[in-house]
């Protein structure tokens, strides 16, 4: 399958490729990692990529598929995570310069759910500083660029999440939304994004903005797949 069509497949379409054996999780992950290496320098949506961790997760997924014991819809699916959501062992900066050396010591529950479902975590995504803007322009880690036209804002604060999905660098992405931080960049980048009802997804491990309003929300290629995360 040609490069661009594969990166444009939705969650369910990618799952079907894995289920029918047309694709395996290792090849799929390698494809996305290569795409990130090629396109991220101009988009700046990924702040860090966990090549080794993604490769290990993909190997485990491939073995499950080969044994006929996949964990479900997300098994082997490449997913990326906003940088204010804790992933154990990854830098956890929330877009703040003073947190460059901060490393998450534990997994956020939403991340653990993805891991338990067999997802392949690709890396952490750019965001507005402390999630306090909607421009996708971080003064410390650089602007996250809209993939559709040079010079246009990607929106924020989950700009990296929207760009990663829109540009075909992840099948799904996690963002966070307090006052529009998933919905704004989703709209600007032309992908579906959801702010779930308060409390639907745990915000433990998320750097808070407004605890009574914060929510973790997914971004995907199809609106009907937003509830699958």
């Amino acid at each position: 399958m040609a490069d661009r069509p594969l990166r444009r497949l939705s969650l369910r379409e990618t799952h079907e490729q894995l289920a029918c054996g047309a694709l395996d999780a290792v090849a799929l992950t390698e494809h996305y990692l290569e795409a990130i290496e090629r396109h991220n320098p101009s988009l700046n949506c990924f702040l860090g990529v966990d090549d080794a961790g993604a490769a290990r997760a993909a190997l485990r997924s491939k073995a499950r598929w080969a044994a006929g014991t996949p964990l479900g819809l997300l098994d082997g699916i490449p997913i990326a995570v906003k940088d204010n959501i804790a992933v154990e062992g990854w830098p956890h900066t929330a877009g703040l310069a003073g947190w460059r050396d901060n490393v998450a010591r534990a997994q956020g529950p939403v991340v653990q759910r993805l891991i338990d479902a067999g997802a392949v975590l690709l890396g952490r995504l750019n965001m507005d500083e402390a999630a306090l803007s909607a421009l996708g322009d971080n003064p410390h880690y650089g602007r996250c660029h809209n993939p559709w036209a040079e010079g246009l804002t990607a929106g924020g604060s989950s700009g990296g999440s929207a760009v990663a999905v829109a540009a075909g660098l992840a099948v799904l992405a996690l963002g966070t939304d307090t006052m529009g931080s998933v919905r704004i960049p989703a709209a600007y980048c032309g992908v579906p994004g959801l702010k779930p009802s308060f409390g639907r997804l745990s915000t433990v491990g998320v750097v808070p903005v407004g605890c009574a309003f914060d929510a973790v929300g997914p971004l995907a290629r199809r609106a009907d797949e937003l509830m699958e995360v």
Side-chain angles (χ1 to χ4, degrees), residues 113-146:
R113 282 180 59 175
L114 294 178
I115 293 170
D116 292 344
V120 175
L121 301 186
L122 296 171
R124 56 194 185 93
L125 296 166
N126 202 352
M127 58 178 286
D128 289 271
E129 186 178 17
L132 293 175
S133 176
L135 297 177
D137 193 3
N138 188 295
H140 313 296
Y141 302 101
R143 172 172 290 187
C144 186
H145 298 279
N146 192 303

Side-chain angles (χ1 to χ4, degrees), residues 3 6-7 25-41 46 48-59 78-80 90 120-124 168-171:
D3 173 70
L6 175 56
R7 287 171 42 222
V26 171
L28 177 64
T29 298
E30 289 175 349
H31 186 87
Y32 272 89
L33 291 173
E34 289 168 2
I36 293 166
E37 183 177 12
R38 190 180 324 126
H39 297 291
N40 191 61
F46 277 87
V49 178
D50 187 2
D51 298 80
R56 290 192 297 269
L59 279 170
I79 297 177
W90 287 10
V120 175
L121 301 186
L122 296 171
R124 56 194 185 93
L169 304 187
V171 178

Side-chain angles (χ1 to χ4, degrees), residues 61-77:
S61 177
K62 181 178 180 178
R64 289 190 296 269
W65 279 105
T69 57
L71 298 173
L73 183 63
L74 297 181
D75 203 338
I77 299 296

Side-chain angles (χ1 to χ4, degrees), residues 84-107:
N84 62 343
I85 303 172
V87 180
E88 186 177 5
W90 287 10
H92 187 209
T93 76
L96 294 162
W99 286 21
R100 285 183 185 274
D101 298 324
N102 186 46
V103 175
R105 297 181 180 180
Q107 221 80 267

Side-chain angles (χ1 to χ4, degrees), residues 113-220:
R113 282 180 59 175
L114 294 178
I115 293 170
D116 292 344
V120 175
L121 301 186
L122 296 171
R124 56 194 185 93
L125 296 166
N126 202 352
M127 58 178 286
D128 289 271
E129 186 178 17
L132 293 175
S133 176
L135 297 177
D137 193 3
N138 188 295
H140 313 296
Y141 302 101
R143 172 172 290 187
C144 186
H145 298 279
N146 192 303
W148 298 115
E150 185 177 351
L152 294 185
T153 177
S157 64
S158 303
S161 303
V163 172
V165 174
L169 304 187
V171 178
L172 298 172
L174 287 187
T176 61
D177 192 312
T178 303
M179 296 179 290
S181 286
V182 163
R183 294 162 288 168
I184 292 168
Y188 284 13
C189 294
V191 296
L194 175 68
K195 181 182 183 180
S197 300
F198 182 74
R200 178 71 182 257
L201 294 175
S202 173
T203 56
V204 174
V206 175
V207 178
V209 176
C211 294
F213 300 98
D214 293 344
V216 175
L219 297 96

